[in-house]
Amino acid sequence: MALDVPFRVLPGVAFLTVAAYRTAYCLAAVCGFPRQLGARGALCRYARSDWKAGSDLIGLLARFLQVLRSRGCPPGISDGGTRRQSAQPEGNFLCGDEFMMKARLFVWVAVFSLAALAQPRTAHAAQFFVDDLSGSCSESLGTGSQSNPWHSLHYALKQLRCGDVLNLRRGTYRLNASGFAVDSCGGSAGNGKRASGYMTQQCTAANKIVIQPYQGETVIVDGTSMQIDDSSPTSHWTRCSDGGDGPGGNNDSCGACTNLNLQNPSRTYYSEAWNFGSGDREQMWIDPQCDDADANCTDPGDTGTRLKAVTGTCASLNTLVGSCDNRWTSPTCGSFNTTALNNAIVARLPDNAGNADPDAHTVKISCQGGTCTSYGMLFDGARNIEIRGGGTMYFKYYYYGMRFDSRSADIIVDGVTIAAIGGRDYGNAIRPGSGDRITVRNSTIDEVAAECIAFYGGGNTSCNQISGNVAENNTISNCGFAHSSNGIGSSLDDGVLIKSCKNCVARNNRIFGTGRTGVKIRSDKNGGGKCSSDGAVVEGNDISDVCTSVNSPQSDCAGVHAVTVPIDFGTVQNIRISNNMIHDITGRNAAVPHGIKIDGGVRNVTITNNSINNVDAECLDTNENSVGTGNFVVRNNVFANCNTQNIGGVGLVRLDRAGDWLHSNNAYWASSSSAPAVKIRTPTAEYTRANVVPNFDPNGVSSNPLFLSSSDLHLQPASGLIDMGTQQDAPRFAIDGNLRPQGAATDIGADEFGGLATPVLISVQPLP
């Protein structure tokens, strides 16, 4: 039945009403459930998700249109939209093809105008401005207007009401924190308010608060101590003494530390006393390209050179060196100590630093407490707030980049860079420890002490279940540089951690250089409660060069890892892992990294259309999981060139029992036809590349996948994987957004050869 609705054209204001009805009706026709019509369907699909979040108006229009639809066309017009032989009905009606032709003119305008109507307060929002004129969080100068902006970001954020827009002018925003025990920004140290931005406002989706750089100006929000580079005293650093006995003598000294044998006294300096808080959590960088976001700032995301932390008493100063430690993706050069001298730093700058005096350099010290700012943004019970970074907003040098507490919800972080985050023990760029439906997208996360993005439910005394958090379209790298020995052997170094987080998503991210797993899924038990991670989705990610800090055979690691679920923990089940490209996880010495690893107790896992290539151990390992027949759906995956270390008992894939998998149409490839492709533990069975297809996976493929390269797992035109998959359980869209299938059948792997990527509507924002 055609969805034709007659409209009488009315003059004046009524015409606008008719136009709105036409627009809404056309959207209903084009975006009607369950249709998805190519690019238009994708556009409407994304628009629907925005409208669902807060548009009561759209819902009312849709219900009204259903009533109109049920009335049908007037006499003389067919349901199919073609004219009968009878005359046009009396009056100015639009119906059938004539209506649809004219209605389509409103489609593109409607997508934007209706999204704006869905946010009436924001469309007429009060516009406020802030500039980096003061480091005081209580500075109340300025009115917030463009000509007389607020002077303090911390103060400005607290003044906002629902529906307001805060525009940040170009500059570097820092706080002059007063110490760990005293919080100059309001409240005691224990309440976590040591943040550059602290927000508690609870708004609605139709009336959200928006924070953004003004017209694309560069904004840096910086958590480092202002005491380290203030103008008084003129010099903050003193060179250590060699005691007059030359290199190698035992009379060297740095302040109160004496009888030292420094490796190079002339290049070792100690600072004045500072308050770094109660924990040994400091980090030190020198010479970022931009200290201020002024006209000379060309690389605001650059954090400078990080020095390696050395802990211990005075004797540990003898180990300070200026060389580089290249064991990490982002190497450290030089070294420093904050524990030998009370509240002071002893530093040996990198050997290539030229002038060894820190006073001659830009020095950045981050810490948790003290004169540093611990959090870039702290959301404390806040709701419906959006940070629109636009690619020109940077948060650097914090213990937590952004933290979401007290059931904060429905917060979007879009287009920001968060870098140089964490102390020597821990720290995350994004941490919804008590936050739901937190979305971080289109952002860059780099150089983080522990997990870069931590959807960290659970808790220490009770089950703190979180849900609905999303990480999508981000670049995530260098996660897990903290801990002793520069992070080697750490277990808290994942790119994205989904912990005690229901229906949480890691989608379309580029993840590389993490100390441990690319995406990890696990549950928790706290205080007698059980927190689950059911319904996790890991899709469309490009994951490579992970597991860089794992150095023991017992330290399992993978591109994607669902972790063992003890019997008294919450569940990890109903997991979907699809459309991922996982590659180049090699050279880890005694480590055994996998492409995808599913541990015992994880239930109901769908693994489809992933491309996995060049991994030290198995491409896919479910060997420890024997929860029941058919626990895994494994279809349309490429398992290529895995077990590069030739580990005994390992193949391209490994499973516990043959009945564990419902599998078909997978591709298996190794350089040798006799290489083990499939290993089954109970009963023991092995299939090689030569016989895996007829004997284990009759509809599979055993040929070279012909990737574009070892790291680009898109298919060449001559690939034998094209049209060889099954549509059963296949994701509707491939990794690049093009529909499946493009040919006679879906392709095997994450790529679908041919076709155009479906355009993604990143955001539809009303004009202020």
Side-chain angles (χ1 to χ4, degrees):
M1 174 181 176
L3 307 182
D4 297 326
V5 180
F7 291 97
R8 185 175 298 277
V9 179
L10 301 176
V13 175
F15 174 79
L16 299 177
T17 303
V18 174
Y21 287 163
R22 289 175 177 171
T23 301
Y25 171 72
C26 189
L27 282 171
V30 176
C31 303
F33 293 94
R35 283 196 271 175
Q36 293 180 345
L37 308 176
R40 290 182 299 174
L43 184 64
C44 295
R45 185 172 68 257
Y46 286 98
R48 280 199 304 269
S49 67
D50 288 339
W51 298 335
K52 184 178 180 182
S55 177
D56 294 335
L57 175 61
I58 299 297
L60 290 172
L61 282 174
R63 287 192 290 275
F64 178 69
L65 288 169
Q66 288 177 348
V67 175
L68 292 178
R69 187 185 306 172
S70 66
R71 294 173 56 190
C73 288
I77 304 297
S78 73
D79 288 341
T82 57
R83 296 185 182 276
R84 294 177 181 169
Q85 294 181 353
S86 57
Q88 167 77 5
E90 183 177 347
N92 250 340
F93 287 90
L94 295 176
C95 196
D97 290 340
E98 181 182 359
F99 171 78
M100 291 306 297
M101 178 185 69
K102 295 186 177 182
R104 285 190 183 99
L105 297 176
F106 291 86
V107 171
W108 297 106
V109 175
V111 171
F112 295 94
S113 63
L114 288 178
L117 288 173
Q119 305 177 69
R121 171 66 193 272
T122 304
H124 303 283
Q127 296 281 327
F128 293 102
F129 295 81
V130 63
D131 213 332
D132 63 335
L133 302 175
S134 172
S136 169
C137 57
S138 59
E139 174 62 76
S140 59
L141 293 177
T143 62
S145 67
Q146 185 169 0
S147 60
N148 188 19
W150 285 316
H151 290 199
S152 163
L153 175 62
H154 189 97
Y155 175 83
L157 290 170
K158 288 185 175 181
Q159 310 314 305
L160 300 178
R161 296 181 301 164
C162 296
D164 290 344
V165 175
L166 180 64
N167 297 280
L168 280 68
R169 300 308 307 264
R170 177 190 295 273
T172 299
Y173 294 79
R174 300 170 74 185
L175 272 183
N176 189 12
S178 61
F180 191 87
V182 179
D183 187 352
S184 64
C185 299
S188 65
N191 66 8
K193 294 183 180 179
R194 294 180 308 277
S196 293
Y198 177 71
M199 303 193 72
T200 61
Q201 297 91 327
Q202 296 187 353
C203 304
T204 65
N207 212 26
K208 67 177 65 173
I209 290 174
V210 174
I211 303 159
Q212 62 189 16
Y214 178 66
Q215 295 186 352
E217 293 181 350
T218 299
V219 170
I220 298 175
V221 189
D222 184 325
T224 56
S225 170
M226 295 184 71
Q227 183 184 1
I228 199 77
D229 54 9
D230 58 17
S231 58
S232 178
T234 305
S235 175
H236 295 277
W237 298 84
T238 302
R239 189 169 65 184
C240 295
S241 172
D242 68 359
D245 57 1
N250 293 316
N251 292 323
D252 303 339
S253 63
C254 292
C257 288
T258 59
N259 299 320
L260 302 176
N261 183 10
L262 300 174
Q263 297 198 26
N264 193 332
S266 65
R267 293 189 64 88
T268 308
Y269 286 73
Y270 64 97
S271 72
E272 62 182 335
W274 285 309
N275 179 5
F276 293 125
S278 63
D280 180 24
R281 296 172 176 174
E282 299 77 32
Q283 295 286 355
M284 179 174 178
W285 290 261
I286 65 166
D287 296 335
Q289 196 277 323
C290 302
D291 185 35
D292 192 13
D294 55 20
N296 296 320
C297 178
T298 59
D299 188 5
D302 179 56
T303 58
T305 298
R306 180 168 57 88
L307 279 68
K308 181 178 179 179
V310 174
T311 60
T313 59
C314 289
S316 66
L317 301 182
N318 296 326
T319 66
L320 294 178
V321 296
S323 58
C324 294
D325 186 336
N326 295 308
R327 290 181 293 174
W328 198 251
T329 306
S330 177
T332 59
C333 297
S335 49
F336 74 103
N337 177 292
T338 59
T339 56
L341 291 177
N342 187 32
N343 292 329
I345 302 173
V346 182
R348 167 116 179 247
L349 298 193
D351 290 336
N352 61 3
N355 193 331
D357 185 352
D359 276 323
H361 299 266
T362 300
V363 176
K364 295 290 186 180
I365 304 291
S366 68
C367 56
Q368 188 179 25
T371 56
C372 306
T373 309
S374 299
Y375 313 115
M377 292 291 297
L378 176 58
F379 299 94
D380 195 359
R383 291 176 175 266
N384 286 293
I385 295 172
E386 183 169 351
I387 298 178
R388 300 176 186 167
T392 64
M393 192 173 191
Y394 303 81
F395 292 82
K396 301 195 295 185
Y397 312 114
Y398 291 96
Y399 193 79
Y400 291 116
M402 296 187 186
R403 182 162 175 151
F404 307 81
D405 289 345
S406 305
R407 309 316 307 184
S408 294
D410 302 301
I411 296 173
I412 296 174
V413 179
D414 190 330
V416 304
T417 292
I418 306 176
I421 302 299
R424 294 206 284 274
D425 60 334
Y426 196 66
N428 312 121
I430 299 287
R431 186 183 174 90
S434 178
D436 303 315
R437 300 179 302 282
I438 308 301
T439 297
V440 53
R441 66 191 185 197
N442 307 318
S443 296
T444 298
I445 313 293
D446 183 56
E447 200 175 358
V448 178
E451 303 97 347
C452 277
I453 296 179
F455 298 148
Y456 205 98
N460 295 322
T461 59
S462 63
C463 176
N464 181 30
Q465 182 71 62
I466 61 176
S467 64
N469 297 314
V470 178
E472 62 182 356
N473 301 319
N474 303 295
T475 298
I476 302 169
S477 60
N478 299 321
C479 312
F481 68 71
H483 315 103
S484 62
S485 301
N486 199 36
I488 304 302
S490 171
S491 61
L492 302 170
D493 304 344
D494 309 308
V496 178
L497 173 65
I498 298 174
K499 174 179 174 285
S500 302
C501 189
K502 287 185 176 180
N503 303 315
C504 291
V505 178
R507 175 189 297 126
N508 298 341
N509 302 290
R510 171 78 174 95
I511 304 173
F512 62 95
T514 69
R516 206 166 168 86
T517 292
V519 179
K520 181 183 289 180
I521 309 166
R522 57 163 297 184
S523 61
D524 205 353
K525 175 192 73 170
N526 293 99
K530 297 181 179 181
C531 297
S532 75
S533 284
D534 298 349
V537 175
V538 182
E539 63 181 5
N541 302 287
D542 187 303
I543 302 173
S544 66
D545 194 30
V546 296
C547 305
T548 59
S549 72
V550 179
N551 65 349
S552 71
Q554 290 74 36
S555 298
D556 283 334
C557 187
V560 179
H561 189 187
V563 181
T564 298
V565 182
I567 193 170
D568 57 344
F569 271 43
T571 55
V572 177
Q573 60 187 9
N574 304 324
I575 309 301
R576 186 170 84 246
I577 303 171
S578 62
N579 278 343
N580 300 287
M581 292 183 175
I582 302 172
H583 55 94
D584 299 317
I585 310 176
T586 61
R588 300 297 179 257
N589 300 319
V592 284
H594 313 264
I596 299 174
K597 189 174 191 301
I598 312 296
D599 288 349
V602 181
R603 297 176 178 272
N604 191 18
V605 184
T606 298
I607 302 171
T608 56
N609 288 91
N610 299 283
S611 296
I612 307 173
N613 183 61
N614 194 26
V615 177
D616 271 355
E618 300 96 342
C619 292
L620 172 60
D621 182 9
T622 67
N623 177 57
E624 300 172 8
N625 193 304
S626 57
V627 298
T629 300
N631 190 50
F632 299 93
V633 174
V634 183
R635 306 189 196 280
N636 297 337
N637 300 285
V638 184
F639 306 124
N641 303 308
C642 294
N643 191 21
T644 59
Q645 291 192 6
N646 296 314
I647 303 170
V650 172
L652 296 177
V653 301
R654 184 167 56 159
L655 59 157
D656 186 69
R657 293 179 175 87
D660 292 346
W661 286 16
L662 298 176
H663 61 279
S664 67
N665 299 81
N666 298 290
Y668 309 84
W669 178 251
S671 57
S672 171
S673 62
S674 61
V678 176
K679 291 271 191 176
I680 302 175
R681 185 166 65 174
T682 309
T684 302
E686 176 177 313
Y687 301 95
T688 66
R689 194 201 83 188
N691 64 18
V692 62
V693 170
N695 295 314
F696 178 76
D697 195 340
N699 294 317
V701 174
S702 181
S703 64
N704 190 328
L706 293 182
F707 296 130
L708 289 180
S709 71
S710 63
S711 58
D712 185 346
L713 306 190
H714 290 82
L715 301 177
Q716 298 182 35
S719 173
L721 309 188
I722 296 174
D723 295 345
M724 294 301 293
T726 174
Q727 200 62 25
Q728 184 178 5
D729 299 308
R732 180 171 176 79
F733 296 93
I735 189 171
D736 295 324
N738 48 330
L739 284 165
R740 288 192 174 97
Q742 288 293 321
T746 190
D747 300 346
I748 297 176
D751 183 31
E752 181 72 15
F753 185 81
L756 298 176
T758 302
V760 175
L761 184 65
I762 296 177
S763 62
V764 178
Q765 307 296 353
L767 293 174

